[in-house]
Amino acid sequence: MGAGTGLPAVDLGTTDMLEPGTALLIPTETSGYREDIGLFRAETGSYYALDDECPHEVASLSEGWIEGEEIECPLHSSRFCLPDGRVLCLPAVRDARTHRIEIREGRVLLYPGTAATRT
């Protein structure tokens, strides 16, 4: 587990709840996590979750632009890799925290506070 609480899974809905290339803010009241989480559906169709607040400056990543498997911050255009949260360009210098997503029986499950792992 990442630097988190390892909270139980939260069922966010069906896999068709978001169109590819779109995002959704998951508030702390829904996830039980200490910060809002951004849920992203990459253009490839895969789901990812990152802390919603950009690690560079206060801005909502879920309000940014998805291209491929990257999210661009709407404030200063820093880009982050959705699968692993790596920062891809300045001005951000810190990676975004990831949260594990699992697709099970057509449902999107979020594991708040558990870091995503690449397979």
Side-chain angles (χ1 to χ4, degrees), residues 4-101:
T5 59
L7 296 169
V10 177
D11 186 334
L12 298 176
T14 62
T15 54
D16 62 357
M17 64 189 251
L18 287 178
E19 293 293 321
T22 61
L24 178 68
L25 175 71
I26 307 300
T28 59
E29 298 81 20
T30 299
S31 71
Y33 191 64
R34 66 180 177 256
E35 298 176 28
D36 292 339
I37 295 173
L39 178 67
F40 304 91
R41 188 162 188 200
E43 291 179 339
T44 61
S46 298
Y47 277 91
Y48 301 101
L50 304 172
D51 277 1
D52 188 60
E53 187 174 302
C54 178
H56 168 249
E57 196 167 311
V58 178
S60 173
L61 290 178
S62 62
E63 294 178 7
W65 300 274
I66 296 172
E67 186 171 328
E69 288 194 330
E70 298 177 5
I71 183 68
E72 182 178 320
C73 175
L75 189 59
H76 288 116
S77 301
S78 290
R79 289 190 333 272
F80 301 89
C81 176
L82 288 171
D84 62 18
R86 275 180 304 121
V87 64
L88 301 172
C89 71
L90 296 172
V93 295
R94 289 186 301 124
D95 295 343
R97 183 179 300 120
T98 64
H99 301 271
R100 181 176 159 220
I101 291 288

